Amino acid sequence: MRDPRYDVLFEPVAIGPVIAPNRFYQVPHCTGMGRQRPHTLAAMRGIKAEGGWGVVCTEYCSIHPSSDDSSFPFATLWDNDDIRANALMTDAVHAHGALAGVELWVGGSSVANHDTRLPAIGLQSTPSPDGFEPLQSKRIDRRDIDNIKCWHRDAAKRAVTAGFDIVYVYATHEYLLAEFLDAKTNTRTDEYGGSLTNRLRLTRELIEITLEAVAGKAAVATRFSVDLDDSESYDAFAQLADLPDLWDLTVNDYDVEMAASRFHGEGVVANHAARARSLTTKPVVCVGRYTSPDTMVSMIKKGKQDLIGAARPSIADPFMPNKIKEGRLDDIRECIGCNVCYAHDSIGVSLRCTQNPTFGEEWRRGWHPEVIHQTGNSAKENKALIVGAGPAGLEAARVLGERGFEVMLAEARKTPGGRVTFESRLPGLSEWARVRDWRLTQLRKNHKVGLFPDSMMTADDVMDCKADYVLLATGADWTTDGIGRSLQEPFAGHDNKNVISADALLQDTHKIAGRYLIFDDDHYYLGPLLAKKLQAAGATVTIVCPEGRICSWGERTNEQYANNVELYNSGATILTNHTLHSCDSNSATVTCVYSEKPTTVEIDWIVPLTRRSPNDELYTQLQNLLRQSRPEYANNRVITIGDCHAPGLIATAVYSGYKAAIELSSTNKIRAPLRDLPLATWPDHQ
Ligand code: ADP
Ligand code: SF4
């Protein structure tokens, strides 16, 4: 039953002509689906409405082909053909009583229009920020401004036809309207430049045009940035304060709004938004990666915001509102702030989530974040042994337990969690322990699952368990030979005693002292974080990377810059564009990847961070035993999952555990994943 303290979160909120059924508001967020995957998108948004979100919005929705962010997937309302795909989403959202919102979007100089091949229309003619491509935007002229107003009006009308209840004017995140607002970029001398009123003119006009276009059939929201360090942002806000029906507020810096949890915690936008809220009579929504209902209530009660905005928390747990409503707080699957979701949008595929393996699979595979069907496994063969309680093993145990299996989960260590337990001890990664803790909480509620810590399993132990199914989730270890993306064979000296595994640092089995060389061919968070840990413990670190910059993959998770700021400030020596060549007891030789010129670095220890080796010895031993005694079991009943199968992200391991468990011995036919296709063109238009 719901705690009455949280009642305020379930109050309806009037937004212009429409009423949100509660204060849970999924703000527009990218999905990697957009116009390319309309069924995937609609099913995913529908699940959020089912989970209790009172408002569910699209991602950015282009009003015209001159706003084309390919290869990032986005939505479109370019013409009437687009109505059908968007209506799939609004229908799915309305089916559960929620409101559907659409974020109309004008790209400006930030886009490259790769797909449509039209020049981007920007305030100035500036170089494309997209991968240093030698492209510049077209400088906007009066005809373009008139066109944009017309396109926005038409798109707003189509949005209403598609069934949207809230239509956005998107005036931040460095897109065209933000370019107009910024005095640095806006050097126009006509009525669209100069004074703040002039720089705001196009935003005001688009809000007015949109209000007129929707004609009271939908509310008009404006996404806008305010910042306590930028007093003009409040002056701008004040000029428009009561014009739209809703303010969706954020801060200027996307790296703050969308920061990885290492760099910013819950509620980072709230104080900035609160000051603006005091200047308007209209409701305000803002995000803050809120997962605690107490924090949410305090934000409402303190008058900082009216609606609890969420992107990532609604991905990690589409059912968070319902869980709060039902008093099931410990069932909330909290976002860990890793930004693996966002990373996948930037490679043009559906988002995946570390905490929620079903995200993006609602339509394709028919998965549901909360419903695990008791998929008719034979009552006689329902004993499963899972070896290893890292993210893969924990998730598999949870799902098999829900399916009605009797599960034995054996873990060699006293503490479960595998890599998550070690990595969450690194500076700033404590939230990552949520991956382990949420699953342990779920396991404790299921008497069908037994967790056996401190149980190192041998092949004979596994055979003695006489389980019907064995899932090996024994993980992977960092190697020391240096083989990875840069090196195809071991570096000379790799078997010296001073070459240590990254696991020794992660698991604190190595006493930190002296000079270290980290060879970072992993390009993610671990290199910078191990360097930080070593430097903080009094060691000196040289970090060597074959790429031109550290943490290249972190560009996608929005942490590349912040990781490097930390790394540079830690005092570590940074050597990019170099690869590891050889080492002896007190020096390492690294070579430039272009000139091959060698550099000698004085060191005591070398830590290669290049690849992990799957721990599949137990699997091989079991296969050998079973092939002799029970060959039918060898192929079907003993499987590897997670990093032991193929090392990857924590998200990959959780997904692997979920997939194996949901499909294991299912008597229901596992259907092939559906293939989604764009719906943009009606055949009679061809
Ligand atoms: P994943 O990410 O795939 O879940 P992890 O490396 O995080 O992999 O976790 C693997 C877990 O398996 C670790 O906690 C490790 O202690 C455990 N493990 C490895 N080998 C055995 C074994 N033979 N018996 C029991 N547990 C094991
Ligand atoms: Fe949160 Fe990570 Fe899931 Fe994104 S991928 S929603 S940041 S847990």
Side-chain angles (χ1 to χ4, degrees), residues 298-338:
S298 108
M299 292 297 158
I300 305 293
K301 294 239 155 120
K302 286 181 187 157
K304 295 193 175 187
Q305 57 197 89
D306 301 281
L307 294 134
I308 301 299
R312 290 172 288 177
S314 72
I315 295 170
D317 196 341
F319 275 63
M320 182 165 69
N322 280 358
K323 289 175 183 174
I324 297 171
K325 194 177 194 174
E326 292 158 14
R328 296 166 47 213
L329 300 194
D330 61 358
D331 287 339
I332 296 175
R333 188 164 31 193
E334 292 178 291
C335 166
I336 68 166
C338 59

Side-chain angles (χ1 to χ4, degrees), residues 534-564:
L534 289 168
Q535 289 277 142
T540 55
V541 177
T542 301
I543 182 163
V544 175
C545 174
E547 286 291 307
R549 57 187 185 167
I550 306 281
C551 191
S552 289
W553 169 259
E555 176 78 16
R556 301 192 186 281
T557 53
N558 215 21
E559 64 186 302
Q560 195 267 341
Y561 179 79
N563 256 315
N564 274 275

